[in-house]
Amino acid sequence: MASSRHVAVVTGANKGIGFAIVRGLCKQFDGDVYLTGKDEGRGMKAIEALKKEGLNPLFHQLDISDTNSIQNLQTFLQQQYNGLDILVNNAAIANKVDSPASFAEQATVILKVNFWDTLAVCEALFPLLRPHSRVVNVSSIRSATTYKECSDTIKATIRDPNIKMDQIRNLMKEFEEAAKADQVEERGFRKSAYGTSKIGVRVMSFIQQRELAKDTSRPDVIVNSCCPGYVATDMTSHKGTKTIDEGAVTPLYLALLPPNIVSPKGEYLSENTIEHWPS
Ligand SMILES: NC(=O)c1ccc[n+]([C@@H]2O[C@H](COP(=O)([O-])OP(=O)(O)OC[C@H]3O[C@@H](n4cnc5c(N)ncnc54)[C@H](OP(=O)(O)O)[C@@H]3O)[C@@H](O)[C@H]2O)c1
């Protein structure tokens, strides 16, 4: 029999900002909070660390690059909760500075995790979202800096208020193909796979909000994207200026938006404030 409790899921939460988002949800959300991660050992260590703080997160394995793993989580949530109230898509990877891989190889890997696999998680879990649920897709300020150096045609696609999911998928594919052909800049992109993937996440969130708003059977489902700021984590080689808890502030604000608010919806936020594409 499914529990009637509310439930939150955070991806890539065994460390870094995701870990701090789980910590914040455990303190502020009235429901079960799932710290998910690729590796059960690393995930359980993170759970133990939070338990020592008197918090009570739960663990579920989730490798967003593994369709079986996504399916297992979907089935689990369906059976145990028959729904989902908060989804924070935080898991991501960035360029490895010392990687011997070519730009094209790195681009494929980065876009796969950050864009395609995040989208796959959404596609699997969105049917479970209940009325008033909240989705936060963690993007980055790099979406804006990368956008600034794209061609006018690409910028127009990104900003198109009627853009469809197929169009943003195609844009991500075009970037991957341009990378393989060593023609990223010639084809109007900036040479940043991470930044491009985060454009994808930001535009994807905008489209998801617009589509979910049409679903009258599930009112008040809200999707936003955000930048956590420059945070000291493994991703930044601990050079970031914010702590992980400071980095979690905007994702937590969006995950805990009160019922029936008018805004933000389908927006991109930094420091709890809506930001638009740069001119
Ligand atoms: N740090 C910053 O300054 C900054 C700035 C802007 C945006 N962001 C964004 O904030 C989010 C968190 O970044 P962070 O700095 O906390 O990075 P991090 O410390 O490197 O943590 C990334 C997390 O994602 C997980 N992950 C990677 N691939 C995964 C997969 N296939 N399935 C499941 N989990 C996966 C990692 O798991 P493993 O430990 O198992 O590899 C880890 O838990 C990311 O979306 C990042 O792009 C960060």
Side-chain angles (χ1 to χ4, degrees), residues 11-19 36-39 42 62-66 89-94 113-114 117 138-142 194 198 226-236 240 244:
T11 70
N14 54 288
K15 66 180 183 183
I17 298 161
F19 177 81
T36 72
K38 278 186 294 193
D39 179 81
R42 287 198 291 277
L62 176 64
D63 179 345
I64 69 165
S65 300
D66 176 351
N89 282 304
N90 164 81
I93 56 170
V113 175
N114 297 5
D117 298 342
V138 181
S139 178
S140 165
I141 190 172
R142 297 278 296 279
Y194 178 79
K198 293 299 187 177
C226 67
C227 179
Y230 189 37
V231 183
T233 63
D234 287 353
M235 187 176 278
T236 58
I244 53 171

Side-chain angles (χ1 to χ4, degrees), residues 151 154 174 176-179 181-189:
S151 69
I154 291 175
E174 281 167 27
E176 287 171 326
E177 279 158 22
D182 198 15
Q183 289 189 340
V184 170
E185 277 140 350
E186 290 90 325
R187 296 193 195 175
F189 293 96

